């Protein structure tokens, strides 16, 4: 199985980029992982919130294959702890799917078309974080989830 993370806009912060790269490398020991950055919408200041979500949604949906399982990282999604998240990953690995795709949307969230295509929603926190930081948090949680599944000492219970 391959896990992909789609995210809108590049990460400007060098420290965050370094940490994202570190956890991405660590993840390679457990699963094929791809971070796919969708460029920011040009001239987004001239678009309404709805128009921006629609354009971003088209770009997100254009990156998907028909067999992909799509999970949105969404503030209204289900909240799980790290152990439950590792079980969530295991369920998908056991199902035989080829690609599990998680998406971090733009500043206004997702278009209705993306919500309709989604197979699920997860919330990382009730708090609001920058989209750049969420990338790091999510990739670290993926890594943590796999160490939990392998009973490795990274996660303390």
């Amino acid at each position: 199985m391959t896990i992909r993370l789609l995210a809108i806009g590049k990460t400007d912060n060098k420290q965050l980029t370094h940490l994202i790269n570190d956890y991405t490398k660590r993840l390679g020991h457990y699963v094929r992982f791809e971070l796919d950055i969708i460029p920011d919408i040009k001239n987004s200041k001239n678009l309404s919130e709805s128009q921006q979500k629609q354009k971003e949604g088209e770009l997100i949906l254009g990156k998907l294959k028909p067999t992909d399982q799509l999970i949105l990282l969404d503030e209204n999604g289900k909240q799980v702890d790290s152990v439950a998240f590792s079980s969530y990953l295991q369920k998908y690995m056991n199902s035989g799917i080829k690609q599990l795709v998680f998406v971090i949307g733009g500043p206004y969230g997702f278009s209705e078309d993306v919500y309709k295509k989604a197979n699920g929603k997860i919330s990382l926190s009730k708090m609001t974080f920058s989209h750049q930081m969420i990338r790091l948090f999510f990739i670290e949680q993926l890594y943590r989830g796999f160490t939990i599944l392998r009973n490795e000492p990274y996660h303390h219970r």
Side-chain angles (χ1 to χ4, degrees), residues 46-70:
N46 298 333
L47 300 174
S48 69
E49 180 180 317
S50 175
Q51 289 171 319
Q52 186 170 340
K53 286 195 304 189
Q54 189 63 38
K55 286 190 177 290
E56 289 170 349
E58 290 166 7
L59 294 171
I60 290 166
L61 295 173
K63 295 275 189 177
L64 301 176
K65 296 177 184 153
T67 57
D68 288 349
Q69 293 292 302
L70 178 64

Side-chain angles (χ1 to χ4, degrees), residues 85-100:
F85 183 62
S86 70
S87 296
Y88 188 84
L89 293 171
Q90 185 69 63
K91 178 184 87 170
Y92 277 105
M93 288 188 302
N94 292 346
S95 73
I97 64 164
K98 291 186 184 211
Q99 189 155 249
L100 181 58

